[in-house]
Amino acid sequence: MNMQQLVINGKNKLQGEIEISGAKNSVLALLAATVILNGKTTLTGCPELSDVYSTCQILTSLGCSCKRKGNSITVCSDDIHKSDIDHSLMMKMRSSILFMGALLARFKSRPCEVFYPGGCPLGDRPIDIHISALSKLGAVITENGGKLICKAPNGLKGADISLMFPSVGATENIILASVLAKGETNLSNCACEPEITDLCRFLNKCGAKIYGYGTPNIRIVGVEKLYGCEYKVCPDRIETATYMGCAAVTGGELILNSADTSSMTAVVPVFEQMGCKIYAREHSILIAAPGQLKPVKNIRTMPYPGFPTDAQPIVMAALATAGGTSVIVETIFPNRFGQAAELVKMGADIRIENDVAIISKSGGLYGASVKCHDLRAGASLVVLALACEGKSILSDIYHIDRGYECLEQKLNAVGGDVVRTY
Ligand code: EPZ
């Protein structure tokens, strides 16, 4: 798997339509949630991604049945019998930690065993907020050599929980643990990301009572049981931003169908400042790029509805083609400029000072052999490679496969020249 590469010939103007897939970060949470449901759940619009596959492997390892048919995944957790997850499966991705809240809700006093999760190398990624919040709900979590042994000896009980930072994963874990808890949970300073809204809508369709999602204050009234349902995963806003980047650097014009425009409010103005024309309808975005992008001086990543950290590497690649100096401040992760050194190999002029990136006008962009450092860093190399003179060869593309469905097919259908070699 690690030997695969993407060979990209740049300078083709992209033109046409791309269908946006279901959101990776939503489907992973929804799949974890199936652990606490009775009966069958069918999720539609599930992208074919290695992270989705790994999450299904976790479900199967627990004894759930998990079947994919096209873009639908049907899960039934009625026969779940294991309450521990192997280290190797936990290490595949960060979202494996959501099984902590889900297993606690399912098994209550029976001990569950998980490990610290894997995921993109974006600096230190602790889970202290998850653990302290779940403890407030009555969980007892002990650590033994990287293994986390979790149980709720007296069951889970609703509590008032205020997060010190609006962590996406911690918010999801608390929601999963509290929907079946006794009484009411009031969550403040929680994350507002659209994937959280998707999780709450899904759980409410299954019978949960969650109010206020999409805001920093969520109220959850515990219910006795939840029942599986059919649910369509929301569109992937980061995939949408990525293809906006691809259009922007090639002077192209793309229509992104099935996009969720309402989740793009912080991203659209950045592309507009670059000089792109954007026509947004409710479920599609048209982006038409100029011949030369303009720099943007003040991008700061923030929790939603601010500018998403996941789109930062992509926008950095686009700004590397601009005719002036841009500045990006990364406030969410301590080490999320892993793409910069590789973008520089393609001729980008990028200087990093702690959490600030200064991107200046390049003296010329040319294809190069580059390595994907993490998922979105990999996507940023794709974006810049599309703008480069000549051929780029991207290695370690398994990172990209974690989050982009049919990337080369989608790009080639609109005029790109992207080939996967084995
Ligand atoms: C989710 O990660 C996403 N992953 C990430 O997407 C995304 O970058 C991130 O949210 C921020 O939007 C999934 O949904 C699977 P956080 P998560 O907890 O939940 C600190 C992608 O490319 N923190 O909101 O791990 C943490 O270290 C990925 O698709 C604590 O200090 O993000 C970080 O600095 C990468 N203690 C910040 O909060 C904790 O207990 C944000 O993390 C938890 C988090």
Side-chain angles (χ1 to χ4, degrees), residues 166-178:
S167 154
V168 173
T171 303
E172 291 168 338
N173 242 333
I174 299 163
I175 292 167
L176 290 172
S178 58

Side-chain angles (χ1 to χ4, degrees), residues 24-25 94 125-129 167-169 310 332 376:
K24 168 185 83 91
N25 288 343
R94 173 79 174 176
R125 297 180 76 181
I127 53 166
D128 53 325
I129 304 175
S167 154
V168 173
D310 294 347
I332 305 294
R376 307 302 170 188

